Amino acid sequence: MAQIDQSKIRNFCIVAHIDHGKSTLADRIIEHTGLLTSREMQAQVLDNMELERERGITIKAQTVRTVYKAKNGEEYIFNLIDTPGHVDFNYEVSRSLAACDGAILVVDAAQGIEAQTLANVYLALDHDLEVFPVINKIDLPSAEPDRVKDEIEDVIGIEAQDAPLISAKNGIGIEEVLEAIVEKIPAPGGNADNPLQALIFDSLYDSYKGVIIFCRIVEGKVSKGTSIRMMATGATADVVEVGYFGAGQFIPCEELSAGMVGYITASIKNVKDTAVGDTVTDDKRPCSEPLPGYKKVNSMVYCGVYPADGAKYPDLRDALEKLQLNDASLHYEPETSIALGFGFRCGFLGLLHLEIIQERLEREYNLDLVTTAPGVIYKVHKTNGEVIELTNPSNLPDPAEIEYMEEPVVSAEIMVTTEFIGSIMELCQERRGRYLGMEYMESARALLKYELPLNEIIYDFFDALKSRSRGYASFDYELKGYEQSELVKLDILINKEEVDALSFIVHKESAYERGRRMCEKLKDEIPRHLFEIPIQAAVGGKVIARETVKAMRKDVLAKCYGGDITRKKKLLEKQKEGKKRMRQVGNVEIPQKAFMSVLKLDEN
Amino acid sequence: MKIKKKPLSIYIHIPFCVRKCLYCDFLSGPAGDETKSRYVEQLLEEIRRESVKYDSYEVHTVFFGGGTPSLLPAFAIERILKTVASVFCMKKECEISIEVNPGTVTEEKLMAYREMGINRLSIGLQSADNEELRLLGRIHTYEDFLMTYKIAIKSGFNNINIDLMSAIPAQTLQSYQETLNKVLSLNPQPAHISAYSLIIEEGTPFYDHTPSLPDEETERELYKITNDILSEAGYQRYEISNYAKSGYQCAHNKVYWKRGDYVGFGIGAASLIDNVRFKNIENMESYLSGRDVREDVQTLSVEEQMEEYMFLGLRLTEGIQEEDFKATFGRTIEEIYPGVVEKFVKQGLLSYKPGDKPGAGCIALTDYGLDVSNVVMAEFLLSDESV
């Protein structure tokens, strides 16, 4: 293979707010660069299907190498590195950015800059990336490209007057973007003769090849046979294959050298060994120090995950094991609940991550799950000086042993049009937010800065934000640290029995309101029994709210017409089936739905 | 040697009515004379065709249900009955019932019924309150009913059932009490009363636009006074929704609960023969085309037979005889449902009357158990793994 000229490589990503057209632009770039011959195209489709079949997942990072013939007659290699678009994956985003030399900032010509746009642009600028803007959706009637250009210059402070005006959807202005990539994004640096130094920005588990490391070669080179070492985890392995990314397929090559983006396989069994942000070096000729920025990713949100059918516990364990192969940020450990039986306490990067995992467990592994209310990690300082990191409310020590508790707090930035400032501030106030300040972006918009307890934003803050701003507010946050807080454990008693899976930690001030709403919700979810069932919310043994499920008085099938009993039987079967899907707590049967419904207290 | 014939019940479905009631989800509807006529011909054809399979049976009951069977001309009913009698072996004291709606029969028609051998009438009254009848979408008034009842008695019917409904729109405790009292003040009193509570079924106008119904407390109270008042008046509740004076329990109805053999003719009619359940197609056009009309043929496994035995048998207040279950299935109830009876006896839903020897007791729903019978019956279903 011919030596690739470093000056002809462009490593870049696209940053944008959700829905501003990032994926569409990526698709257009791939199309316009026409990276594959028709024969390759065929192969790709087949490969893809096989891949999907074997693994049943889609490849996470849509990193693609394409070849572009520029107007100056030269051919350039574009490595388009996709970045996850959610605050839960901020760290992953930062590592993907670190693998790039430049970024295209896509801004919606009608919407302008959003909180997430800002967060991502700042991240990109922090990584010294060359950022150039493109204004998308210029064909919309509501497009205001000039206003948006000014906004970009005012708010972000990057030149925007000659930003390409495009419509990714309709293929307008794409050539211009491609030329800008060549002109504005710098070629990578690095020396192929230096010791190997490669940044892991993603990895993927393949059941045949083992872990596939996605990396940017910063210095040196790597090829089949190189003994590599992951500097943070210390894992070592011999390289089996290196290559680059076709659209959705892996194309092996001889060697990856400084400036290139590609993949390495080395029969590594677990993605835990190839942490995102870690540095790959040559074990025999190591670099002097790792690349900066590695950080161990910690779970921010925890919840209990239980199989709906207790007998499926081993299946759930296997599924989590498999998912973890691919997702080093997923943590789990076995736990037991009196109400839900055997399950796992799982840790996630955020609520979205939780939802993704839950959905994958249900869809790909065909499991019916019951999850408990998500919570954060609280630090419990005990009177004996011990500090416990609490992930399961049931494990809260006796209040007498607790000196004080701390909860995680985030710094949040909320961008909102001025008419909604009032209602958003109100929301933040309700969620125990501490107002830090406000900046006007331009006459019509402001950036609100708040400190908010993480446990106030993990369930439904985003939804509340959207509904109170008619969808106009956007939101970004990062963990700030821990703060002491007046926290209590709210217990739910059903027919006088405490249901461990329904307990959660809440701020003292919100306990009554939350308790009341939980009781109301549970009252609707728990079917009538032959006896009356009190539902109580209690803090420290003191009942603060109560509802009652009245006793069942009548449950009878009346007419059985003309001897057609099949329908009657079906009804009884349904009743019995429903019962099977209930959890027995004391002598009360609680539908699984009830456990989930209390997660959505704000829905009416 | 003469082999004793097995008892058989026949259900004949007449799917025609003047107009659909708002709560009705039965297979019925208005139709023109031509359809009715073709339907009768097809029924006769089906009865003749199927009868050859029932050589070893003797017919103990016949039931004309609907719809409103009394909408057909008396002559049509007569032809059907004659056909049945000509191709089946009929028991001498065969119970032959027909459903009629108030206002759809004349004295002549009722006389004709008597003459052709029909000996039991079932009149769909539902309520004695005209406003309630209107809200149900019924086609008649209470006065229409009184007339029908009068001519029925005059025509010589002494075995008459009246259908009543509770928990219907606009009903109050008082209005329901009045309905019961009006029915009980009839002279003579009806021999049999069916008292159902309204269930809103999918696919009915009430399902789409559910009217306001008596609240739960009232409904419960309505249910309770049915039993109180009717017992007081000398009726025995022999099944969840059925009350009869001594000697007038509906034999046909009991066949369903006791899992006797029965065959249904006409669209949508259900059958149970030798532990095989099957149903006729519900589509009128297909039925009229005269092809094989059976569908949903289901051979019941022993487990299914046992479940049915339990949940159907419990509908009858006489309950289930442990010895009979053992004799039928070769295993005891306790073997199949360990602990279940005991649990429900403790909860006051089942009563257990010991027999003269162990394993010869009788299990029945208590009054409370009848009210919440689904809870009990569901527990007698056998999931695949439990046997």
Side-chain angles (χ1 to χ4, degrees):
Chain A
M1 186 177 135
Q3 190 66 39
I4 290 166
D5 181 354
Q6 237 182 29
S7 71
K8 299 282 156 39
I9 299 177
R10 296 292 180 269
N11 298 322
F12 64 97
C13 58
I14 304 173
V15 294
H17 184 71
I18 286 173
D19 289 342
H20 280 197
K22 186 171 93 165
S23 316
T24 321
L25 178 59
D27 288 349
R28 289 293 162 272
I29 291 175
I30 293 166
E31 263 176 39
H32 277 69
T33 45
L35 77 165
L36 297 172
T37 64
S38 57
R39 190 192 57 82
E40 281 173 322
M41 205 79 89
Q42 191 74 26
Q44 176 207 335
V45 172
L46 291 175
D47 271 0
N48 249 348
M49 281 163 50
E50 215 159 61
L51 228 61
E52 302 269 8
R53 258 204 304 275
E54 286 160 17
R55 268 200 296 272
I57 57 153
T58 45
I59 293 168
K60 297 192 286 187
Q62 298 292 335
T63 294
V64 176
R65 193 185 90 145
T66 69
V67 180
Y68 174 61
K69 190 155 191 202
K71 287 187 178 143
N72 62 15
E74 300 282 348
E75 278 198 334
Y76 289 84
I77 287 172
F78 285 0
N79 286 306
L80 169 53
I81 297 165
D82 192 23
T83 56
H86 192 274
V87 59
D88 278 7
F89 303 106
N90 257 348
Y91 177 65
E92 281 75 359
V93 175
S94 84
R95 293 307 83 201
S96 293
L97 293 175
C100 302
D101 301 299
I104 306 173
L105 167 64
V106 181
V107 184
D108 185 307
Q111 307 274 335
I113 293 173
E114 307 271 2
Q116 209 182 44
T117 322
L118 268 193
N120 287 338
V121 170
Y122 288 145
L123 261 178
L125 293 173
D126 283 351
H127 287 90
D128 290 328
L129 299 194
E130 191 62 46
V131 178
F132 77 86
V134 305
I135 317 286
N136 192 20
K137 306 193 190 178
I138 50 139
D139 51 344
L140 288 185
S142 54
E144 294 179 87
D146 291 334
R147 181 186 67 80
V148 172
K149 278 180 188 175
D150 290 345
E151 191 177 277
I152 293 171
E153 295 196 336
D154 289 353
V155 176
I156 305 173
I158 59 173
E159 166 64 36
Q161 289 316 314
D162 57 350
L165 302 179
I166 69 164
S167 163
K169 191 175 160 207
N170 295 315
I172 301 166
I174 306 301
E175 282 295 320
E176 222 184 310
V177 177
L178 297 172
E179 284 298 313
I181 293 169
V182 171
E183 283 161 30
K184 297 198 168 164
I185 292 173
N191 186 337
D193 298 328
N194 285 344
L196 175 64
Q197 205 179 24
L199 172 72
I200 303 178
F201 63 87
D202 201 356
S203 60
L204 180 73
Y205 181 80
D206 178 282
S207 45
Y208 290 102
K209 296 179 172 180
V211 176
I212 301 173
I213 302 169
F214 291 27
C215 61
R216 157 78 186 266
I217 313 295
V218 179
E219 297 286 346
K221 54 180 179 284
V222 60
S223 56
K224 184 178 173 179
T226 310
S227 294
I228 52 168
R229 177 153 58 90
M230 269 48 79
M231 296 181 78
T233 65
T236 56
D238 291 333
V239 174
V240 174
E241 184 180 305
V242 299
Y244 54 86
F245 308 103
Q249 70 174 358
F250 299 105
I251 302 168
C253 66
E254 291 286 312
E255 163 186 289
L256 294 174
S257 61
M260 293 173 75
V261 169
Y263 70 90
I264 301 172
T265 70
S267 302
I268 299 165
K269 285 209 186 71
N270 199 312
V271 284
K272 273 185 187 159
D273 289 334
T274 59
V276 167
D278 200 353
T279 302
V280 183
T281 192
D282 190 330
D283 197 31
K284 303 229 165 64
R285 188 181 163 229
C287 56
S288 53
E289 55 188 55
L291 293 160
Y294 172 73
K295 154 168 118 173
K296 196 165 178 295
V297 188
N298 292 314
S299 301
M300 301 258 271
V301 176
Y302 278 81
C303 77
V305 177
Y306 292 82
D309 174 359
K312 292 275 171 70
Y313 174 79
D315 298 11
L316 175 59
R317 188 188 53 217
D318 291 351
L320 283 168
E321 241 167 53
K322 280 189 188 130
L323 283 181
Q324 202 184 40
L325 282 178
N326 235 329
D327 184 350
S329 48
L330 167 67
H331 290 267
Y332 65 92
E333 57 184 59
E335 72 172 8
T336 322
S337 151
I338 299 160
L340 298 175
F342 290 105
F344 295 92
R345 176 84 6 193
C346 298
F348 307 93
L349 296 173
L351 207 62
L352 177 79
H353 188 213
L354 181 157
E355 281 167 12
I356 291 173
I357 296 291
Q358 194 180 324
E359 196 185 318
R360 292 188 61 184
L361 287 170
E362 291 184 336
R363 225 183 29 182
E364 295 169 23
Y365 296 92
N366 226 349
L367 290 164
D368 255 343
L369 301 177
V370 181
T371 53
T372 65
V376 300
I377 309 171
Y378 298 97
K379 288 188 180 163
V380 184
H381 294 258
K382 291 174 67 175
T383 46
N384 64 6
E386 200 186 328
V387 182
I388 303 173
E389 296 211 336
L390 186 76
T391 57
N392 181 348
S394 305
N395 299 337
L396 187 72
D398 188 282
E401 294 173 26
I402 300 172
E403 172 116 35
Y404 65 95
M405 284 172 74
E406 290 182 304
E407 65 177 331
V409 173
V410 301
S411 313
E413 292 189 341
I414 301 160
M415 190 169 294
V416 64
T417 45
T418 42
E419 54 181 314
F420 299 113
I421 289 176
S423 58
I424 298 304
M425 288 179 80
E426 203 180 325
L427 171 68
C428 292
Q429 223 66 47
E430 286 166 20
R431 302 299 176 103
R432 299 190 283 129
R434 188 185 300 140
Y435 175 73
L436 296 180
M438 177 167 67
E439 287 167 21
Y440 278 90
M441 311 297 298
E442 51 183 305
S443 57
R445 280 198 313 168
L447 185 70
L448 285 167
K449 295 187 175 180
Y450 268 93
E451 270 173 22
L452 286 156
L454 182 60
N455 83 353
E456 294 285 346
I457 59 174
I458 54 171
Y459 308 88
D460 53 2
F461 183 76
F462 197 65
D463 293 340
L465 199 66
K466 287 282 173 197
S467 70
R468 294 201 196 185
S469 67
R470 296 204 210 117
Y472 281 112
S474 57
F475 167 61
D476 198 63
Y477 68 83
E478 63 179 2
L479 190 65
K480 182 181 160 269
Y482 273 77
E483 278 183 18
Q484 193 171 334
S485 180
E486 291 280 329
L487 299 164
V488 293
K489 180 160 80 108
L490 184 71
D491 293 316
I492 298 292
L493 288 81
I494 293 180
N495 205 19
K496 314 278 184 194
E497 295 230 21
E498 189 181 313
V499 183
D500 59 353
L502 290 173
S503 293
F504 60 99
I505 307 281
V506 62
H507 191 263
K508 208 171 149 190
E509 302 285 307
S510 328
Y512 168 71
E513 185 58 26
R514 286 286 288 278
R516 189 181 60 77
R517 289 213 306 252
M518 293 261 303
C519 290
E520 279 172 7
K521 199 88 175 190
L522 285 167
K523 183 194 168 194
D524 293 341
E525 294 292 342
I526 295 175
R528 292 188 170 196
H529 283 53
L530 297 169
F531 44 87
E532 187 177 283
I533 306 167
I535 300 171
Q536 297 161 304
V539 171
K542 188 171 162 264
V543 174
I544 58 169
R546 176 188 164 127
E547 291 281 346
T548 306
V549 178
K550 283 203 235 159
M552 180 191 343
R553 295 296 193 62
K554 186 165 159 273
D555 184 11
V556 58
L557 296 172
K559 202 149 184 165
C560 188
Y561 202 79
D564 185 0
I565 70 135
T566 47
R567 227 169 74 189
K568 302 275 173 227
K569 192 177 158 188
K570 271 186 192 130
L571 273 169
L572 291 175
E573 273 167 352
K574 218 167 125 190
Q575 186 153 357
K576 192 179 176 188
E577 192 55 35
K579 221 172 138 131
K580 234 169 69 182
R581 297 180 59 90
M582 302 230 196
R583 296 294 178 148
Q584 185 99 22
V585 174
N587 52 356
V588 178
E589 279 156 349
I590 306 174
Q592 318 217 332
K593 236 171 75 212
F595 291 96
M596 316 285 277
S597 69
V598 296
L599 308 183
K600 293 176 182 152
L601 288 179
D602 275 6
E603 279 174 16
N604 291 318
Chain B
M1 191 181 84
K2 198 181 164 192
I3 298 168
K4 193 166 184 276
K5 297 205 171 203
K6 293 182 279 183
L8 178 72
S9 287
I10 291 177
Y11 174 78
I12 296 165
H13 191 63
I14 309 297
F16 308 116
C17 55
V18 174
R19 179 183 83 203
K20 218 65 188 146
C21 298
L22 299 171
Y23 57 86
C24 174
D25 76 327
F26 297 145
L27 188 56
S28 66
D33 281 344
E34 203 214 316
T35 307
K36 287 179 186 159
S37 159
R38 284 173 63 202
Y39 185 78
V40 170
E41 295 309 321
Q42 198 53 52
L43 257 182
L44 299 179
E45 169 63 30
E46 187 195 359
I47 292 166
R48 281 191 288 262
R49 187 177 65 226
E50 293 298 318
S51 64
V52 296
K53 301 170 185 165
Y54 301 98
D55 272 358
S56 58
Y57 287 88
E58 179 185 59
V59 176
H60 285 219
T61 71
V62 177
F63 195 104
F64 286 92
T68 308
S70 52
L71 274 190
L72 289 186
F75 182 60
I77 299 290
E78 189 181 346
R79 283 180 67 208
I80 297 168
L81 261 186
K82 275 192 169 152
T83 305
V84 169
S86 67
V87 293
F88 283 93
C89 168
M90 306 293 282
K91 191 187 172 204
K92 221 172 157 211
E93 299 85 24
C94 184
E95 177 192 278
I96 304 176
S97 312
I98 187 165
E99 290 183 324
V100 303
N101 256 345
T104 60
V105 279
T106 58
E107 197 175 333
E108 291 76 45
K109 198 176 244 182
L110 290 169
M111 294 294 282
Y113 286 170
R114 281 298 301 164
E115 272 160 34
M116 65 182 84
I118 293 175
N119 48 30
R120 187 173 179 275
L121 274 192
S122 178
I123 308 176
L125 169 61
Q126 317 310 348
S127 169
D129 182 307
N130 284 338
E131 176 60 9
E132 288 169 16
L133 289 172
R134 191 184 66 79
L135 289 170
L136 287 173
R138 300 287 296 175
I139 55 164
H140 58 86
T141 61
Y142 179 59
E143 290 68 34
D144 292 333
F145 161 79
L146 283 179
M147 178 54 74
T148 299
Y149 193 76
K150 199 175 136 194
I151 56 177
I153 298 295
K154 207 173 153 201
S155 312
F157 283 99
N158 63 353
N159 188 354
I160 299 178
N161 166 60
I162 293 175
D163 274 346
L164 295 178
M165 256 189 182
S166 62
I168 56 180
Q171 195 171 48
T172 62
L173 195 56
Q174 201 192 349
S175 75
Y176 184 63
Q177 235 157 356
E178 258 169 53
T179 290
L180 286 175
N181 287 336
K182 280 182 177 168
V183 167
L184 293 176
S185 67
L186 292 169
N187 187 20
Q189 286 184 334
H192 189 286
I193 293 173
S194 292
Y196 304 107
S197 58
L198 172 67
I199 291 177
I200 306 291
E201 301 281 4
E202 228 176 307
T204 63
F206 272 5
Y207 186 84
D208 300 327
H209 303 282
T210 307
S212 102
L213 298 168
D215 64 37
E216 201 195 326
E217 285 304 310
T218 312
E219 191 193 335
R220 157 82 186 156
E221 202 52 34
L222 296 173
Y223 202 72
K224 193 172 166 300
I225 64 164
T226 312
N227 194 19
D228 292 351
I229 294 179
L230 293 182
S231 307
E232 179 78 6
Y235 292 84
Q236 196 218 339
R237 183 186 198 178
Y238 69 97
E239 194 262 350
I240 286 180
S241 316
N242 285 298
Y243 298 79
K245 296 219 165 174
S246 176
Y248 286 97
Q249 295 181 4
C250 175
H252 185 85
N253 211 328
K254 284 175 83 176
V255 168
Y256 296 150
W257 314 131
K258 294 195 156 191
R259 306 188 63 256
D261 288 323
Y262 56 91
V263 59
F265 297 119
I267 59 170
S271 305
L272 172 67
I273 299 291
D274 279 338
N275 282 312
V276 178
R277 288 200 180 275
F278 52 92
K279 241 186 112 167
N280 281 358
I281 46 170
E282 297 196 344
N283 182 286
M284 179 63 87
E285 279 314 308
S286 311
Y287 182 77
L288 292 181
S289 75
R291 284 186 310 252
D292 189 16
V293 294
R294 278 189 189 187
E295 59 180 19
D296 296 340
V297 180
Q298 186 201 3
T299 304
L300 300 173
S301 66
V302 177
E303 289 75 32
E304 286 167 327
Q305 295 170 32
M306 291 192 285
E307 323 178 316
E308 286 189 359
Y309 185 99
M310 295 307 291
F311 82 76
L312 294 175
L314 283 173
R315 289 189 70 100
L316 294 169
T317 53
E318 67 184 60
I320 284 166
Q321 305 297 326
E322 283 183 302
E323 277 182 314
D324 187 58
F325 186 94
K326 176 91 193 282
T328 310
F329 300 110
R331 296 172 73 183
T332 67
I333 292 176
E334 193 51 32
E335 275 167 9
I336 305 298
Y337 302 103
V340 176
V341 173
E342 196 191 333
K343 179 176 95 181
F344 284 130
V345 168
K346 265 192 198 144
Q347 292 182 11
L349 300 175
L350 285 180
S351 68
Y352 180 77
K353 217 184 303 152
D356 44 11
K357 55 182 194 278
C362 171
I363 300 159
L365 287 166
T366 60
D367 278 354
Y368 179 39
L370 287 168
D371 292 352
V372 296
S373 51
N374 286 354
V375 176
V376 180
M377 291 171 178
E379 201 97 354
F380 284 105
L381 295 187
L382 295 163
S383 39
D384 301 335
E385 64 263 33
S386 60
V387 175

